[in-house]
Amino acid sequence: MSSKPQLIIFDTTMRDGEQSPGASMTLEEKVRIGRALERMKVDVIEAGFAIASQGDFESVRAVAEAVKDSRICSLSRARAEDIDRAAEALKPANASRIHTFIATSPIHMKYKLRLEPDAVIEHAVRAVKYARNLVEDVEFSCEDAGRSEVDFLCRIIEAAIDAGARTINIPDTVGYAIPGQFGEMIGQLITRIPNADKAIFSVHCHNDLGLAVSNSLAAVLNGARQVECTINGLGERAGNAALEEIVMSIKTRSDLFPVTTGIYTPEIVPTSRLVSSVTGFPVQPNKAIVGANAFAHESGIHQDGVLKHRETYEIMRAEDVGWNANKMVLGKHSGRAAFRARLEQLGIPVGSDNSLNQLFVRFKELADKKHEIFDEDLHALVSDTQQDVEENYKLVSLEVTSKTGTTPEAKLTLNVNGQEKPVTATGSGPVDATFRAIEAVANSGTLLELYSVNAITSGTDSQGEVTVRLNQAGRIINGHGADTDIVIASAKAYLNALNLMRANIERVNPQGQVEGI
Ligand code: KIV
Ligand code: ZN
């Protein structure tokens, strides 16, 4: 046990992370991510913004029901309706937190809130008191604190602490801060605010200048004891501080940091992969900690050094963050009981016997094509099968011709509401031809905004996981499909997006519909 105080790791992948255009998650996906964060021993999980939509409300509630070891939090503006909704969604939680915020920078107060600074303080105090009547644990955030005046921050924070806030969050909402300056600002606030000792100071940094992690760490060196962050640095615009970078910086440079974290680091890579697969946001190969090249040594000098003595070029051990942890869990001969047990260990809700049977059939099909089935394969299989959506469009068959010197062609049969429709189309490549063939039948009027393919595991027998993002007059839908054949995976992903669109179950940038106050 370390004698250092523990830095609270507050994960906002499912709230701020979900604000990345196209990164919205279904309820079932949020529960899976929530369970992965719990396995990682994240202290606080911000599961959503309950008032933003019915879907967000239900997701916060579902995460609060499923996750018992981490504290579950919902965001709310400084308004009674928001706070009521957050409290209601959080009822099933073992430990809950309401996070309420109001903007404090001159530009936000004048143009967005159209409120005088004194009125902003009144709103903040009222909101914190109101929230404290509903839950014990209330966090107050000064939105755009990075561009706020320190004197005003001192006034509003002192009032919020007096009103009962136990965590004070200082967000650099627009990613404007610079490490030395931001760290100094946090230090100043903690020194100047008379009741600062009654609250934990937190930071929440955006990455517009690529400084989110540096700013957060500078704040920790100056007294912050909570950091808000996201897996893979997902988040609004350029994203938030990446959880994995914060945690591993503190662990690796324990000689410099006056804190420790409670994070179980071997879960970092599997969780990063899960978030990437759910959102369709690939992780760049040279991304720190979780990128495919993060521990790969290419140059001869480096390889030689590592072989002779690992620490010559490695400051962390790959296995400590979960590399090589993907176990061969199941194979062709595994039975239903082993299959169910592994899904349960991964925190994947299995549901009825019928849905288990359906999953098991798909698992056997996959095991026939690919002998070693890893955890990542299981996640993809479940994402593919367990969408609670009626399949208006089903892939019956697909034949693709792709030959040097000829135009690729896709012959496809779709089942559309029970009726089989064969169609042929050509395109610039096999995937393009397939999408054109689907559109010749569906005529959806959508725009393809993103197409990404990720190998789920290593090796050429890996499943390809495809994300297709469609935009239909502003409605953004992500479809996912996985298969060992990437053209089939692409067709599945496209059809999945069309089915989700027809079923109307997606959320359109859920928090994007909420206004200032
Ligand atoms: O960036 C921000 O200011 C936020 C707050 C709501 C905490 O996300
Ligand atoms: Zn934010």
Side-chain angles (χ1 to χ4, degrees):
M1 270 294 265
S2 164
S3 57
K4 291 179 183 176
Q6 189 170 314
L7 179 72
I8 297 169
I9 298 295
F10 177 116
D11 178 277
T12 183
T13 307
M14 294 194 274
R15 199 279 298 168
D16 211 311
E18 204 197 24
Q19 284 174 226
S20 295
S24 61
M25 304 159 194
T26 65
L27 180 146
E28 186 273 327
E29 289 164 344
K30 280 197 167 187
V31 169
R32 260 197 286 155
I33 292 177
R35 289 202 163 115
L37 296 172
E38 182 184 37
R39 280 196 296 280
M40 210 200 289
K41 300 193 189 303
V42 161
D43 302 289
V44 185
I45 299 175
E46 189 162 55
F49 191 175
I51 193 125
S53 68
Q54 184 60 22
D56 240 43
F57 175 84
E58 281 162 15
S59 301
V60 174
R61 187 155 58 188
V63 174
E65 264 161 17
V67 173
K68 293 300 168 199
D69 294 340
S70 307
R71 186 173 288 276
I72 310 300
C73 173
S74 170
L75 186 66
S76 69
R77 287 165 298 180
R79 301 190 339 173
E81 309 89 278
D82 284 39
I83 295 168
D84 283 337
R85 206 72 182 131
E88 186 60 30
L90 290 168
K91 267 191 184 148
N94 259 359
S96 61
R97 172 179 295 182
I98 292 180
H99 175 191
T100 186
F101 73 98
I102 195 161
T104 52
S105 62
I107 189 169
H108 276 230
M109 291 192 287
K110 181 167 176 195
Y111 294 106
K112 186 180 81 170
L113 301 179
R114 298 201 178 102
L115 288 174
E116 289 301 319
D118 284 347
V120 172
I121 296 181
E122 276 166 34
H123 277 281
V125 167
R126 213 177 311 131
V128 171
K129 284 189 175 156
Y130 191 83
R132 272 304 298 265
N133 281 332
L134 301 172
V135 295
E136 264 295 297
D137 187 340
V138 174
E139 170 170 334
F140 172 69
S141 277
C142 309
E143 192 192 8
D144 203 17
R147 291 189 299 170
S148 301
E149 288 161 3
V150 171
D151 287 351
F152 182 65
L153 286 177
C154 288
R155 281 180 61 210
I156 195 166
I157 292 171
E158 184 180 352
I161 296 173
D162 273 345
R166 288 295 161 261
T167 304
I168 296 295
N169 185 38
I170 312 295
D172 180 25
T173 304
V174 293
Y176 181 68
I178 301 293
Q181 166 257 323
F182 191 64
E184 198 186 310
M185 175 178 164
I186 300 300
Q188 256 197 57
L189 292 174
I190 295 175
T191 321
R192 282 183 52 187
I193 296 169
N195 52 3
D197 59 322
K198 300 207 168 49
I200 285 173
F201 278 70
S202 163
V203 290
H204 171 117
C205 296
H206 280 270
N207 204 31
D208 299 68
L209 294 173
L211 295 172
V213 169
S214 309
N215 287 332
S216 306
L217 294 175
V220 172
L221 290 173
N222 283 277
R225 290 295 172 263
Q226 174 177 286
V227 169
E228 302 196 353
C229 44
T230 58
I231 301 293
N232 301 339
L234 207 65
E236 182 97 40
R237 307 181 310 280
N240 286 67
L243 178 147
E244 59 277 8
E245 295 176 23
I246 300 281
V247 167
M248 291 314 292
S249 297
I250 287 169
K251 188 174 161 111
T252 308
R253 296 309 308 268
S254 61
D255 56 325
L256 290 182
F257 286 99
V259 291
T260 177
T261 79
I263 295 298
Y264 178 62
T265 58
E267 286 292 339
I268 286 179
V269 168
T271 309
S272 156
R273 288 189 167 170
L274 174 61
V275 169
S276 167
S277 123
V278 160
T279 56
F281 282 42
V283 174
Q284 77 200 51
N286 58 331
K287 163 84 180 64
I289 322 290
V290 293
N293 289 352
F295 291 87
H297 299 277
E298 180 68 23
S299 97
I301 294 175
H302 287 206
Q303 284 173 351
D304 181 48
V306 168
L307 287 174
K308 286 178 175 148
H309 187 74
R310 184 148 98 169
E311 281 83 22
T312 50
Y313 285 100
E314 277 189 8
I315 57 166
M316 295 169 275
R317 295 187 322 163
E319 55 271 36
D320 285 352
V321 296
W323 283 107
N324 309 324
N326 61 351
K327 301 161 221 110
M328 200 277 279
V329 287
L330 299 166
K332 196 173 152 124
H333 302 294
S334 305
R336 199 180 305 258
F339 178 65
R340 177 195 272 274
R342 190 61 199 154
L343 292 181
E344 280 169 359
Q345 278 163 10
L346 288 174
I348 297 172
V350 177
S352 63
D353 278 355
N354 200 13
S355 51
L356 178 71
N357 286 346
Q358 231 186 319
L359 282 172
F360 192 63
V361 170
R362 298 284 312 277
F363 160 72
K364 285 286 179 182
E365 283 167 8
L366 181 62
D368 269 339
K369 291 194 236 164
K370 182 178 187 292
H371 299 301
E372 299 175 320
I373 307 287
F374 298 99
D375 289 347
E376 289 82 353
D377 290 311
L378 293 181
H379 278 297
L381 188 106
V382 172
S383 293
D384 225 19
T385 319
Q386 221 175 44
Q387 301 265 8
D388 234 354
V389 56
E390 203 186 322
E391 282 190 289
N392 288 298
Y393 298 104
K394 274 191 212 145
L395 181 65
V396 178
S397 65
L398 173 62
E399 188 187 319
V400 180
T401 325
S402 176
K403 212 160 79 182
T404 38
T406 62
T407 307
E409 184 183 74
K411 280 189 190 156
L412 173 111
T413 302
L414 284 187
N415 181 317
V416 185
N417 297 322
Q419 232 194 320
E420 290 211 350
K421 305 212 167 172
V423 66
T424 300
T426 54
S428 59
V431 173
D432 186 45
T434 303
F435 288 180
R436 284 173 191 272
I438 294 174
E439 274 303 331
V441 176
N443 199 12
S444 69
T446 55
L447 214 69
L448 178 66
E449 284 209 335
L450 176 134
Y451 170 75
S452 87
V453 191
N454 248 329
I456 292 177
T457 52
S458 54
T460 47
D461 71 341
S462 164
Q463 290 195 86
E465 186 173 44
V466 174
T467 301
V468 161
R469 184 178 305 152
L470 298 181
N471 183 335
Q472 189 183 51
R475 294 171 66 209
I476 294 173
I477 289 114
N478 278 346
H480 302 288
D483 200 282
T484 46
D485 179 324
I486 59 162
V487 183
I488 294 176
S490 304
K492 285 182 181 173
Y494 201 100
L495 293 171
N496 178 234
L498 290 182
N499 285 325
L500 287 166
M501 196 167 273
R502 288 278 291 258
N504 218 3
I505 64 164
E506 95 298 354
R507 281 163 291 138
V508 189
N509 190 9
Q511 292 125 40
Q513 295 152 4
V514 179
E515 288 177 355
I517 187 162

